[in-house]
């Protein structure tokens, strides 16, 4: 009796699928994550002979991840193998914005490994807000065009004007927001405030304050 050994046949794994913590397919999801948050993702790879080695890359850097293998029985009695790898990118910073995060499934040197890549999008807090021309002394009764600008926020910050606890109506400009402000003698020593808030990160608002110096304009009869 002669025993024949069948040649071993390599089979490539399926293309990796990347899910978020809510098990949403990241390739079909457009979502920005808050600056400072942790990003948890799951990579699932079905099949492959031999079983693939699954790895994560942030741009070109290999990052640590945990991996497990699950086996299920198919309707015909066949064994289905799924390799699952979890990764957490802690404390997302601005350098992660638009960074590429890839999951690779490698089980052969004969072909490039199937790879799925997602691009990290961030909502970012404003870094700076500034009232322009704060060094000037104001004259009571005269109208001034006061401007405020902010940088660093994504999406762009919403800028609002305040005097004491009262919100003032400003006008949006391409490079910020302006305010037609007519001070009175009573405004001496009060603060004019420009506040910058990212609507996606309302707790990360910042403000610039201008302590008003107002001179009275006397009339001589």
């Amino acid at each position: 009796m002669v025993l024949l050994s069948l040649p071993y046949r390599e089979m490539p794994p399926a293309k990796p699928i990347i899910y978020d913590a809510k098990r949403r397919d990241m390739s079909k999801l457009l979502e920005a994550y808050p600056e400072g948050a942790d990003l948890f993702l799951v990579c699932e790879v079905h099949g492959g002979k031999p079983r693939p080695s699954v790895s994560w890359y942030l741009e070109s850097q290999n990052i640590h991840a945990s991996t497990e293998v699950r086996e299920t029985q198919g309707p015909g009695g066949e064994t289905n193998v799924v390799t699952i790898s979890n990764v957490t990118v802690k404390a997302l910073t601005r350098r992660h914005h638009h960074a590429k995060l890839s999951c690779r499934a490698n089980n052969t040197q004969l072909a490039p490994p199937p790879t799925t890549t997602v691009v990290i999008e961030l909502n970012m807090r404003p870094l700076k807000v500034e009232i322009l021309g704060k060094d000037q002394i104001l004259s009571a009764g005269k109208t001034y065009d006061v401007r405020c600008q902010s940088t660093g926020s994504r999406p762009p910050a919403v800028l609002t004007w305040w005097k004491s606890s009262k919100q003032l109506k400003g006008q949006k400009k391409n490079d910020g927001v302006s305010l037609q402000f007519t001070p009175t003698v009573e405004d001496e020593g009060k603060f004019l405030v420009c506040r910058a808030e990212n609507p996606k990160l309302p707790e990360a608002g910042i403000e610039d304050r201008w302590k008003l110096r107002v001179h009275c304009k006397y009339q001589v009869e």
Side-chain angles (χ1 to χ4, degrees):
M1 181 177 179
V2 179
L3 296 177
L4 298 177
S5 60
L6 296 176
Y8 182 79
R9 184 181 174 188
E10 290 185 347
M11 295 182 61
K15 186 178 176 66
I17 305 172
I18 298 178
Y19 297 104
D20 69 357
K22 299 178 182 178
R23 199 166 173 76
R24 296 177 295 181
D25 187 342
M26 291 292 291
S27 66
K28 303 175 183 177
L29 184 66
L30 294 176
E31 181 168 331
Y33 292 87
E35 179 184 0
D38 294 344
L39 175 60
F40 174 79
L41 295 177
V42 178
C43 180
E44 285 190 4
V45 181
H46 292 257
K49 187 183 293 186
R51 181 175 64 82
S53 171
V54 178
S55 53
W56 287 91
Y57 288 83
L58 182 59
E59 295 293 346
S60 60
Q61 179 183 1
N62 179 247
I63 55 178
H64 174 74
S66 61
T67 302
E68 63 174 306
V69 179
R70 297 177 185 174
E71 294 185 355
T72 59
Q73 291 296 120
E78 72 279 8
T79 300
N80 297 321
V81 179
V82 183
T83 307
I84 301 171
S85 182
N86 302 326
V87 71
T88 300
V89 182
K90 290 187 173 295
L92 293 169
T93 65
R94 290 172 181 264
R95 72 178 182 88
H96 292 116
H97 183 54
H98 285 167
K100 294 178 180 179
L101 187 60
S102 302
C103 178
R104 300 179 188 174
N106 191 12
N107 73 339
T108 179
Q109 300 296 321
L110 302 179
T115 302
T116 297
T117 299
V118 296
V119 178
I120 300 174
E121 298 282 342
L122 291 185
N123 290 322
M124 295 182 285
R125 61 184 177 83
L127 292 178
K128 181 180 180 181
V129 61
E130 181 182 15
I131 300 173
L132 306 180
K134 289 190 299 182
D135 56 342
Q136 62 182 315
I137 299 175
L138 307 178
S139 296
K142 182 179 178 180
T143 299
Y144 296 85
D145 182 28
V146 187
R147 293 178 177 267
C148 178
Q149 297 176 343
S150 176
T151 57
S153 179
R154 182 185 183 275
V158 174
L159 301 178
T160 53
W161 288 102
W162 300 79
K163 188 178 71 172
S164 299
S165 59
K166 181 181 178 182
Q167 185 173 354
L168 307 177
K169 186 176 181 180
Q171 184 176 2
K172 188 175 180 180
K173 302 288 186 180
N174 290 335
D175 58 347
V177 65
S178 67
L179 174 70
Q180 296 296 307
F181 179 60
T182 306
T184 65
V185 175
E186 289 76 19
D187 289 327
E188 170 68 26
K190 292 183 179 179
F191 285 93
L192 186 65
V193 177
C194 179
R195 187 175 300 162
E197 293 179 302
N198 183 330
K200 301 290 185 180
L201 303 169
E203 73 285 352
I206 57 174
E207 61 183 33
D208 190 21
R209 299 163 65 87
W210 179 11
K211 187 174 183 179
L212 300 174
R213 293 181 296 165
V214 183
H215 282 190
C216 181
K217 188 164 67 174
Y218 294 98
Q219 291 184 346
V220 179
E221 297 183 358

